[in-house]
Amino acid sequence: MTPVRSLARAMLSGIFVVSGYRNLRNPGRLAVAAKPVTDKVAPMLKKAHPNFPTETETLIRLNAAVQVGAGLMLATGRFSRPAALVLAGTLVPVTVAGHPFWNNDDPIAKNNNEIHTLKNLGLFGGLLLAATDTGGKPGIRWRTGHRIGHSRRSMQRAVRTARREARIAVRSAATARRLPG
């Protein structure tokens, strides 16, 4: 990994690690803002997994733990592409719960939340770039196509070789029949 990629990933992941750690330690400060979102998500979680916890503070802690873990993976370059996708997924509830500018009547609060929403959209875009970054190496799609092409060419060579050997065998058999003996 190049130094620029390493630095960029560390810089991008920093906010997730720090805020995730803070939210993991003190989820209560976000509970009031997160409650409307968790109340809407809880029935879906219960339906998908009956034993899944749906308390607001527990979901905040879970999201925070995921942010810390995925942030560290992105920063260290371990499974950085999946980690970037996971972090992008954690931004959605954070933005909806934490920065609902569409609900603000106060122009200052609305402006502040709009700025944070745009910041999160920028982070989301950066995470999408990180999720598609192959580090200068060919992606899976190219490698798969290259392997298929290589296999196809190998098979064609094998068929040509088999045909040539069959023609040689036929000629040898015909020559052997003509010889007295």
Side-chain angles (χ1 to χ4, degrees), residues 23-100:
N23 297 339
L24 195 57
R25 292 192 61 200
N26 187 11
R29 66 186 185 84
L30 303 173
V32 173
K35 186 126 178 74
V37 174
T38 59
D39 287 347
K40 290 179 183 176
V41 172
M44 291 184 282
L45 291 174
K46 280 290 187 195
K47 189 175 182 181
H49 245 301
N51 295 332
F52 200 82
T54 56
E55 300 79 32
T56 300
E57 287 195 18
T58 305
L59 291 175
I60 292 169
R61 277 196 171 108
L62 181 62
N63 192 56
V66 168
Q67 285 184 337
V68 170
L72 290 172
M73 287 194 307
L74 179 62
T76 60
R78 299 278 186 208
F79 302 106
S80 57
R81 293 174 70 190
L85 282 177
V86 168
L87 287 172
T90 65
L91 266 179
V92 175
V94 168
T95 303
V96 171
H99 310 297

Side-chain angles (χ1 to χ4, degrees), residues 4-17:
V4 172
R5 279 190 171 93
S6 297
L7 182 61
R9 286 187 175 138
M11 291 168 67
L12 183 59
S13 67
I15 191 163
F16 295 100
V17 175

Side-chain angles (χ1 to χ4, degrees), residues 101 104-115:
F101 65 88
N104 292 122
D105 293 328
D106 178 23
I108 294 172
K110 182 174 184 150
N111 184 48
N112 190 29
N113 281 330
E114 282 177 344
I115 289 170

